[in-house]
Amino acid sequence: MTSYFSRLSLAIVFITGVLASGIASALPITKTATINIYQLCDNAGANCAATGPVGDTYFAGSTNNIWEQAGIIFNFNFVSKINSSAFLHINDSVTGDSFGDLQLTYGGWPSYTSIDLFLVQTITVDSAGHRAYGEGWLGVGGLVMGMQDIMGFNGGLGRIDTLAHEIGHNFGLQPSSLGGVDWHSTNPNNLMASGSIRSVPTTLSDISPNGLGYDQLTLAQVNYARQSSLLSNITYDTIPEPTSSALFAIALLTLGVSRYRKFG
Ligand SMILES: [Zn+2]
């Protein structure tokens, strides 16, 4: 009896915890978005921005792992290198050298059907010289990643959820519109917490729903993101229906029998 009762209590605690946190469980993958990648190099085509860690190029694996919570998978499409010393280190406080100028010049602006991803060395956001790991538009497909700072994070392992976070902004995730107080969630374990407070996974096994459970999305965030025009529905190729195959086999068998009779 004691054993039965403790098991029952454990189950109730578990269910209550899931409901209270509102964490989305994994959905079937039914939506996709294309990420068009541009890699910045200097004028001579050297000193190019990094493309991510070994085994996780563009952070594609970690990004797909995070967004699986919302039933979304990304198609990573390398477009080109861009030789531009000016845009290799962007500065948002300098006219002509901002992220907006970069996407306007080389990408598709404004893009509502795909995501432009620019890999640069550094992102300076103001005249005081403050740097950012990444920047992304709210509700428009475009983001930039400062690969020098991103790859230097966590002893060289890299910040593996910056791309997923900025994509969230591209999908229109601004927690104030979802009951928050500003652009970001105040929960450090939520994907849409700002980089200054967010718990950053070290490995894929830290990502929700596994391990440490970082980079969570709430059900409200999932539902909101899935409405984005950047996404299209995945259509699956179908195999022949068993009934059709069976009928075809029967037809062949009948043909074989009639031939046998003809030559017999
Ligand atoms: Zn943000």
Side-chain angles (χ1 to χ4, degrees), residues 29-249:
I29 302 296
T30 55
K31 287 185 179 283
T32 187
T34 294
I35 299 176
N36 292 317
I37 299 158
Y38 301 85
Q39 181 186 22
L40 271 292
C41 305
D42 65 20
N43 287 344
N47 194 28
C48 302
T51 55
V54 173
D56 195 14
T57 306
Y58 313 130
F59 297 100
S62 37
T63 302
N64 280 332
N65 211 27
I66 291 167
W67 279 99
E68 187 180 352
Q69 297 169 75
I72 295 168
I73 194 168
F74 297 95
N75 169 38
F76 289 81
N77 174 43
F78 186 86
V79 178
S80 68
K81 289 186 176 182
I82 297 170
N83 296 342
S84 168
S85 296
F87 285 126
L88 184 57
H89 295 269
I90 64 171
N91 189 328
D92 290 338
S93 67
V94 176
T95 302
D97 194 37
S98 70
F99 168 45
D101 295 315
L102 170 57
Q103 188 172 7
L104 189 63
T105 306
Y106 292 105
W109 174 260
S111 176
Y112 295 106
T113 54
S114 60
I115 297 168
D116 284 343
L117 164 58
F118 294 90
L119 304 172
V120 302
Q121 291 286 18
T122 60
I123 304 165
T124 300
V125 296
D126 57 26
S127 55
H130 291 116
R131 298 250 283 258
Y133 291 104
E135 282 187 318
W137 304 112
L138 185 69
V140 176
L143 62 101
V144 61
M145 291 169 70
M147 296 304 288
Q148 187 174 302
D149 290 326
I150 285 174
M151 292 307 297
F153 184 83
N154 207 4
L157 290 173
R159 275 188 89 112
I160 70 176
D161 64 0
T162 296
L163 176 56
H165 173 93
E166 302 304 343
I167 287 172
H169 287 315
N170 283 186
F171 285 157
L173 291 187
Q174 181 184 29
S176 62
S177 67
L178 299 169
V181 293
D182 62 12
W183 272 61
H184 293 114
S185 168
T186 54
N187 175 359
N189 290 346
N190 188 277
L191 175 64
M192 299 315 295
S194 74
S196 57
I197 70 161
R198 192 167 69 254
S199 303
V200 180
T202 301
T203 69
L204 292 187
S205 60
D206 293 339
I207 294 170
S208 182
N210 302 317
L212 299 173
Y214 293 166
D215 294 326
Q216 299 161 8
L217 288 166
T218 66
L219 294 174
Q221 288 172 326
V222 167
N223 291 334
Y224 193 91
R226 284 176 59 86
Q227 301 305 311
S228 170
S229 67
L230 298 169
L231 292 165
S232 57
N233 294 324
I234 295 175
T235 53
Y236 289 97
D237 216 3
T238 54
I239 58 172
E241 293 179 26
T243 47
S244 306
S245 302
L247 287 172
F248 186 59

